[in-house]
Amino acid sequence: MTTPSHASGHPFPEMQDLTLEPLASRPSLVTTTDFCQVPPPVPGFGAFVDALPDIYAGTHFKQLVERIVAAKLAGRPVVMAMGAHVLKVGLAPLVIDLMERGIVTDVALNSAGAIHDYEISTVGFTSENVDTQLPAGKFGFADETGRALAAAAKRGAHPEEGAPKGFGRALGRELIDAKAPHLNLSVPAAAVRLGLGVTCHPAIGADIVHMHPACDGADLGAAALADFHHVCGRVADLDGGVWMNVGCAVMLPEVFLKAVSVAINLGHDLANMTTANLDMIRQYRAETNVVRRPPGTGISLIGQHELLLPLLRMAVLAKLEEAQA
């Protein structure tokens, strides 16, 4: 076994010789033509919610709707922490609609979610076929994606004067400044436009953009740490609010638990916080770190994102309308 030379100052200098390809030339599995719509509240939908059985998921669904509506009416935070699949199945319009309505006050993404958001916003498609791309040595080597996320990390680590540090906000600003063709489908850009919280939490080496020669670990670390600090501040203010982990199995549940620990260590009361995990299957880390361990009330709902989230949105809008009537 040979050890790569460090003579160039790079622990693996061959990384600089990677073959990159234009994003537009890459076959992708998801396009914006398949994304969800966001219809107005359906008259009488509140009666449908009331008619659900008060057993198991029926009870939990109603409870989550009630807690989100109560948080909105009380001016408390509602945070949606999203795995990449939420965006990949075309739900960005739904998330942005809830942000525009002032229901979702903050969003947190893992790095895969940021990647999908960037590609959706700039070219209108995302999600490469790993089964075919990997054997061809092409998996993860779309040039623009890696270059743009590296630029966002740099901007997040070294923001313009007066702007806060942070990866998620910087990605939103990059997309806005670039006038991305599908900017209306970018969650970070919407958060920046609306003045809402947005963070991104990468795992170095776990995301395709970290293979790009432009990726700088110092920038990535500084931008990500700033976003962790942002999350700690938001979680410290979550008493009476809601944290929803939607479709992230490990990264965001771990970030959340550490932020909860920081908040409690600093003396913040989270006894009236509501936490919820929404996913297609029951995942140990999310169920443990989001639903069971934190203070407050934990709720778990299992279902396909592309069905469960539209139902949740419509139920919240219906119950909010009833409460404000």
Side-chain angles (χ1 to χ4, degrees):
M1 179 178 178
T2 59
T3 303
S5 169
H6 289 221
S8 68
H10 194 290
F12 188 36
E14 289 181 65
M15 290 287 284
Q16 307 303 312
D17 299 326
L18 288 168
T19 301
L20 305 172
E21 297 191 331
L23 176 58
S25 70
R26 189 198 69 198
S28 297
L29 302 175
V30 174
T31 70
T32 57
T33 57
D34 299 317
F35 277 27
C36 76
Q37 302 296 312
V38 283
V42 173
F45 196 80
F48 168 80
V49 177
D50 293 337
L52 295 173
D54 283 315
I55 302 171
Y56 300 137
T59 299
H60 301 155
F61 183 83
K62 292 180 186 179
Q63 189 178 29
L64 180 56
V65 170
E66 176 186 306
R67 297 299 178 91
I68 293 172
V69 170
K72 163 64 175 171
L73 293 175
R76 306 306 298 137
V78 175
V79 184
M80 184 177 285
M82 293 175 288
H85 205 71
V86 176
L87 300 178
K88 194 167 115 173
V89 298
L91 291 170
L94 181 149
V95 176
I96 293 169
D97 176 77
L98 291 175
M99 295 162 67
E100 290 176 337
R101 292 176 183 270
I103 295 170
V104 168
T105 61
D106 302 78
V107 289
L109 302 171
N110 58 12
S111 193
I115 289 164
H116 285 316
D117 188 276
Y118 168 78
E119 294 186 349
I120 289 164
S121 306
T122 55
V123 293
F125 56 76
T126 191
S127 187
E128 57 190 310
N129 189 330
V130 182
D131 290 350
T132 58
Q133 292 285 91
L134 185 64
K138 296 182 178 181
F139 170 57
F141 292 123
D143 185 25
E144 295 91 334
T145 305
R147 200 170 296 282
L149 269 289
K154 184 178 183 64
R155 185 172 190 166
H158 311 282
E160 52 268 33
E161 186 175 352
K165 283 187 175 183
F167 196 179
R169 179 179 174 82
L171 177 59
R173 286 249 51 101
E174 287 284 314
L175 290 166
I176 291 170
D177 290 350
K179 295 182 173 59
H182 304 277
L183 190 64
N184 63 309
L185 296 177
S186 170
V187 171
V192 171
R193 170 172 58 85
L194 296 166
L196 303 180
V198 53
T199 58
C200 179
H201 307 273
I204 293 178
D207 306 309
I208 58 168
V209 290
H210 303 158
M211 306 187 295
H212 197 285
C215 181
D216 184 290
D219 289 343
L220 193 62
L225 186 61
D227 273 0
F228 174 62
H229 292 163
H230 290 318
V231 165
C232 288
R234 204 46 163 160
V235 170
D237 190 40
L238 260 185
D239 202 50
V242 180
W243 177 283
M244 290 186 289
N245 181 71
V246 189
C248 188
V250 177
M251 177 57 67
L252 297 177
E254 289 291 354
V255 168
F256 176 63
L257 193 72
K258 277 57 171 195
V260 168
S261 185
V262 168
I264 295 172
N265 181 278
L266 293 173
H268 294 275
D269 185 5
L270 299 179
N272 295 310
M273 174 178 68
T274 300
T275 60
N277 182 52
L278 288 70
D279 210 341
M280 300 181 291
I281 60 175
R282 208 171 293 279
Q283 303 273 9
Y284 168 77
R285 193 62 53 189
E287 290 289 320
T288 304
N289 287 7
V290 177
V291 177
R292 186 175 66 79
R293 283 176 172 159
T297 300
I299 298 168
S300 181
L301 291 170
I302 303 302
Q304 297 291 125
H305 304 311
E306 55 272 30
L307 299 177
L308 185 55
L309 286 182
L311 281 173
L312 180 64
R313 170 186 173 270
M314 194 60 73
V316 167
L317 295 185
K319 289 299 180 181
L320 189 58
E321 199 171 67
E322 287 180 11
Q324 293 174 326

PDB file of all heavy atoms in Angstrom, residues 232 235-239 258-271 295:
ATOM      1  N   CYS A 232     -28.603  26.651  18.409  1.00  0.00           N
ATOM      2  CA  CYS A 232     -28.608  26.664  19.878  1.00  0.00           C
ATOM      3  C   CYS A 232     -29.439  27.832  20.403  1.00  0.00           C
ATOM      4  O   CYS A 232     -30.242  27.682  21.339  1.00  0.00           O
ATOM      5  CB  CYS A 232     -27.177  26.757  20.417  1.00  0.00           C
ATOM      6  SG  CYS A 232     -26.212  25.238  20.217  1.00  0.00           S
ATOM      7  N   VAL A 235     -33.211  27.029  19.730  1.00  0.00           N
ATOM      8  CA  VAL A 235     -33.731  25.984  20.612  1.00  0.00           C
ATOM      9  C   VAL A 235     -33.902  26.520  22.030  1.00  0.00           C
ATOM     10  O   VAL A 235     -34.856  26.171  22.728  1.00  0.00           O
ATOM     11  CB  VAL A 235     -32.807  24.745  20.592  1.00  0.00           C
ATOM     12  CG1 VAL A 235     -33.192  23.748  21.687  1.00  0.00           C
ATOM     13  CG2 VAL A 235     -32.870  24.064  19.226  1.00  0.00           C
ATOM     14  N   ALA A 236     -33.020  27.385  22.463  1.00  0.00           N
ATOM     15  CA  ALA A 236     -33.136  27.980  23.794  1.00  0.00           C
ATOM     16  C   ALA A 236     -34.433  28.768  23.948  1.00  0.00           C
ATOM     17  O   ALA A 236     -34.913  28.979  25.068  1.00  0.00           O
ATOM     18  CB  ALA A 236     -31.936  28.887  24.066  1.00  0.00           C
ATOM     19  N   ASP A 237     -35.041  29.168  22.831  1.00  0.00           N
ATOM     20  CA  ASP A 237     -36.273  29.958  22.839  1.00  0.00           C
ATOM     21  C   ASP A 237     -37.489  29.129  22.413  1.00  0.00           C
ATOM     22  O   ASP A 237     -38.506  29.661  22.013  1.00  0.00           O
ATOM     23  CB  ASP A 237     -36.106  31.166  21.899  1.00  0.00           C
ATOM     24  CG  ASP A 237     -37.244  32.166  22.021  1.00  0.00           C
ATOM     25  OD1 ASP A 237     -37.699  32.422  23.154  1.00  0.00           O
ATOM     26  OD2 ASP A 237     -37.683  32.694  20.978  1.00  0.00           O
ATOM     27  N   LEU A 238     -37.379  27.805  22.523  1.00  0.00           N
ATOM     28  CA  LEU A 238     -38.427  26.935  21.981  1.00  0.00           C
ATOM     29  C   LEU A 238     -39.525  26.582  22.976  1.00  0.00           C
ATOM     30  O   LEU A 238     -40.408  25.797  22.639  1.00  0.00           O
ATOM     31  CB  LEU A 238     -37.815  25.633  21.439  1.00  0.00           C
ATOM     32  CG  LEU A 238     -37.605  25.544  19.923  1.00  0.00           C
ATOM     33  CD1 LEU A 238     -37.104  24.170  19.532  1.00  0.00           C
ATOM     34  CD2 LEU A 238     -38.888  25.867  19.148  1.00  0.00           C
ATOM     35  N   ASP A 239     -39.498  27.098  24.193  1.00  0.00           N
ATOM     36  CA  ASP A 239     -40.587  26.799  25.113  1.00  0.00           C
ATOM     37  C   ASP A 239     -41.887  27.369  24.536  1.00  0.00           C
ATOM     38  O   ASP A 239     -41.975  28.559  24.227  1.00  0.00           O
ATOM     39  CB  ASP A 239     -40.307  27.418  26.487  1.00  0.00           C
ATOM     40  CG  ASP A 239     -41.074  26.729  27.598  1.00  0.00           C
ATOM     41  OD1 ASP A 239     -41.015  25.486  27.667  1.00  0.00           O
ATOM     42  OD2 ASP A 239     -41.720  27.427  28.402  1.00  0.00           O
ATOM     43  N   LYS A 258     -27.841  18.186  20.863  1.00  0.00           N
ATOM     44  CA  LYS A 258     -26.763  18.982  21.455  1.00  0.00           C
ATOM     45  C   LYS A 258     -27.242  20.401  21.751  1.00  0.00           C
ATOM     46  O   LYS A 258     -26.866  21.005  22.763  1.00  0.00           O
ATOM     47  CB  LYS A 258     -25.554  19.032  20.530  1.00  0.00           C
ATOM     48  CG  LYS A 258     -24.626  17.828  20.615  1.00  0.00           C
ATOM     49  CD  LYS A 258     -25.312  16.521  20.337  1.00  0.00           C
ATOM     50  CE  LYS A 258     -24.354  15.354  20.217  1.00  0.00           C
ATOM     51  NZ  LYS A 258     -25.008  14.184  19.610  1.00  0.00           N
ATOM     52  N   ALA A 259     -28.085  20.947  20.873  1.00  0.00           N
ATOM     53  CA  ALA A 259     -28.627  22.287  21.110  1.00  0.00           C
ATOM     54  C   ALA A 259     -29.545  22.291  22.329  1.00  0.00           C
ATOM     55  O   ALA A 259     -29.560  23.260  23.101  1.00  0.00           O
ATOM     56  CB  ALA A 259     -29.373  22.774  19.869  1.00  0.00           C
ATOM     57  N   VAL A 260     -30.313  21.214  22.504  1.00  0.00           N
ATOM     58  CA  VAL A 260     -31.154  21.087  23.704  1.00  0.00           C
ATOM     59  C   VAL A 260     -30.284  21.065  24.959  1.00  0.00           C
ATOM     60  O   VAL A 260     -30.578  21.712  25.956  1.00  0.00           O
ATOM     61  CB  VAL A 260     -32.029  19.816  23.624  1.00  0.00           C
ATOM     62  CG1 VAL A 260     -32.675  19.513  24.976  1.00  0.00           C
ATOM     63  CG2 VAL A 260     -33.110  19.978  22.558  1.00  0.00           C
ATOM     64  N   SER A 261     -29.182  20.321  24.891  1.00  0.00           N
ATOM     65  CA  SER A 261     -28.276  20.237  26.031  1.00  0.00           C
ATOM     66  C   SER A 261     -27.691  21.612  26.366  1.00  0.00           C
ATOM     67  O   SER A 261     -27.579  21.991  27.543  1.00  0.00           O
ATOM     68  CB  SER A 261     -27.151  19.243  25.739  1.00  0.00           C
ATOM     69  OG  SER A 261     -26.325  19.056  26.871  1.00  0.00           O
ATOM     70  N   VAL A 262     -27.314  22.377  25.341  1.00  0.00           N
ATOM     71  CA  VAL A 262     -26.796  23.727  25.553  1.00  0.00           C
ATOM     72  C   VAL A 262     -27.856  24.595  26.231  1.00  0.00           C
ATOM     73  O   VAL A 262     -27.567  25.317  27.202  1.00  0.00           O
ATOM     74  CB  VAL A 262     -26.360  24.366  24.212  1.00  0.00           C
ATOM     75  CG1 VAL A 262     -26.104  25.859  24.371  1.00  0.00           C
ATOM     76  CG2 VAL A 262     -25.125  23.669  23.665  1.00  0.00           C
ATOM     77  N   ALA A 263     -29.097  24.526  25.733  1.00  0.00           N
ATOM     78  CA  ALA A 263     -30.170  25.363  26.275  1.00  0.00           C
ATOM     79  C   ALA A 263     -30.424  25.049  27.748  1.00  0.00           C
ATOM     80  O   ALA A 263     -30.567  25.961  28.574  1.00  0.00           O
ATOM     81  CB  ALA A 263     -31.444  25.162  25.461  1.00  0.00           C
ATOM     82  N   ILE A 264     -30.476  23.764  28.079  1.00  0.00           N
ATOM     83  CA  ILE A 264     -30.730  23.380  29.470  1.00  0.00           C
ATOM     84  C   ILE A 264     -29.551  23.783  30.352  1.00  0.00           C
ATOM     85  O   ILE A 264     -29.727  24.268  31.474  1.00  0.00           O
ATOM     86  CB  ILE A 264     -31.007  21.867  29.559  1.00  0.00           C
ATOM     87  CG1 ILE A 264     -32.311  21.524  28.812  1.00  0.00           C
ATOM     88  CG2 ILE A 264     -31.106  21.421  31.017  1.00  0.00           C
ATOM     89  CD1 ILE A 264     -32.573  20.041  28.683  1.00  0.00           C
ATOM     90  N   ASN A 265     -28.337  23.601  29.846  1.00  0.00           N
ATOM     91  CA  ASN A 265     -27.142  23.979  30.599  1.00  0.00           C
ATOM     92  C   ASN A 265     -27.146  25.461  30.954  1.00  0.00           C
ATOM     93  O   ASN A 265     -26.692  25.872  32.028  1.00  0.00           O
ATOM     94  CB  ASN A 265     -25.896  23.623  29.792  1.00  0.00           C
ATOM     95  CG  ASN A 265     -24.592  23.966  30.507  1.00  0.00           C
ATOM     96  OD1 ASN A 265     -24.154  25.109  30.472  1.00  0.00           O
ATOM     97  ND2 ASN A 265     -23.996  22.984  31.157  1.00  0.00           N
ATOM     98  N   LEU A 266     -27.698  26.266  30.066  1.00  0.00           N
ATOM     99  CA  LEU A 266     -27.746  27.715  30.279  1.00  0.00           C
ATOM    100  C   LEU A 266     -28.979  28.161  31.070  1.00  0.00           C
ATOM    101  O   LEU A 266     -29.186  29.353  31.280  1.00  0.00           O
ATOM    102  CB  LEU A 266     -27.706  28.439  28.933  1.00  0.00           C
ATOM    103  CG  LEU A 266     -26.383  28.310  28.163  1.00  0.00           C
ATOM    104  CD1 LEU A 266     -26.518  28.921  26.768  1.00  0.00           C
ATOM    105  CD2 LEU A 266     -25.242  28.978  28.926  1.00  0.00           C
ATOM    106  N   GLY A 267     -29.805  27.195  31.484  1.00  0.00           N
ATOM    107  CA  GLY A 267     -30.929  27.516  32.356  1.00  0.00           C
ATOM    108  C   GLY A 267     -32.234  27.816  31.668  1.00  0.00           C
ATOM    109  O   GLY A 267     -33.167  28.327  32.302  1.00  0.00           O
ATOM    110  N   HIS A 268     -32.346  27.507  30.376  1.00  0.00           N
ATOM    111  CA  HIS A 268     -33.594  27.785  29.659  1.00  0.00           C
ATOM    112  C   HIS A 268     -34.623  26.677  29.917  1.00  0.00           C
ATOM    113  O   HIS A 268     -34.285  25.498  29.957  1.00  0.00           O
ATOM    114  CB  HIS A 268     -33.332  27.910  28.159  1.00  0.00           C
ATOM    115  CG  HIS A 268     -32.491  29.096  27.811  1.00  0.00           C
ATOM    116  ND1 HIS A 268     -33.013  30.358  27.620  1.00  0.00           N
ATOM    117  CD2 HIS A 268     -31.150  29.216  27.630  1.00  0.00           C
ATOM    118  CE1 HIS A 268     -32.044  31.202  27.344  1.00  0.00           C
ATOM    119  NE2 HIS A 268     -30.899  30.535  27.344  1.00  0.00           N
ATOM    120  N   ASP A 269     -35.876  27.065  30.061  1.00  0.00           N
ATOM    121  CA  ASP A 269     -36.972  26.136  30.332  1.00  0.00           C
ATOM    122  C   ASP A 269     -37.569  25.651  29.013  1.00  0.00           C
ATOM    123  O   ASP A 269     -38.034  26.454  28.204  1.00  0.00           O
ATOM    124  CB  ASP A 269     -38.044  26.835  31.173  1.00  0.00           C
ATOM    125  CG  ASP A 269     -39.155  25.895  31.596  1.00  0.00           C
ATOM    126  OD1 ASP A 269     -39.063  24.678  31.317  1.00  0.00           O
ATOM    127  OD2 ASP A 269     -40.133  26.374  32.202  1.00  0.00           O
ATOM    128  N   LEU A 270     -37.561  24.346  28.802  1.00  0.00           N
ATOM    129  CA  LEU A 270     -38.128  23.762  27.582  1.00  0.00           C
ATOM    130  C   LEU A 270     -39.280  22.811  27.905  1.00  0.00           C
ATOM    131  O   LEU A 270     -39.635  21.960  27.084  1.00  0.00           O
ATOM    132  CB  LEU A 270     -37.035  23.017  26.807  1.00  0.00           C
ATOM    133  CG  LEU A 270     -35.845  23.848  26.329  1.00  0.00           C
ATOM    134  CD1 LEU A 270     -34.833  22.960  25.603  1.00  0.00           C
ATOM    135  CD2 LEU A 270     -36.296  24.977  25.415  1.00  0.00           C
ATOM    136  N   ALA A 271     -39.876  22.972  29.082  1.00  0.00           N
ATOM    137  CA  ALA A 271     -40.911  22.030  29.521  1.00  0.00           C
ATOM    138  C   ALA A 271     -42.139  22.046  28.621  1.00  0.00           C
ATOM    139  O   ALA A 271     -42.860  21.045  28.521  1.00  0.00           O
ATOM    140  CB  ALA A 271     -41.318  22.342  30.965  1.00  0.00           C
ATOM    141  N   PRO A 295     -37.011  17.462  26.766  1.00  0.00           N
ATOM    142  CA  PRO A 295     -38.171  17.836  27.595  1.00  0.00           C
ATOM    143  C   PRO A 295     -39.379  18.138  26.713  1.00  0.00           C
ATOM    144  O   PRO A 295     -39.269  18.267  25.493  1.00  0.00           O
ATOM    145  CB  PRO A 295     -37.695  19.101  28.314  1.00  0.00           C
ATOM    146  CG  PRO A 295     -36.230  19.190  28.088  1.00  0.00           C
ATOM    147  CD  PRO A 295     -35.934  18.449  26.829  1.00  0.00           C
TER     148      PRO A 295
END
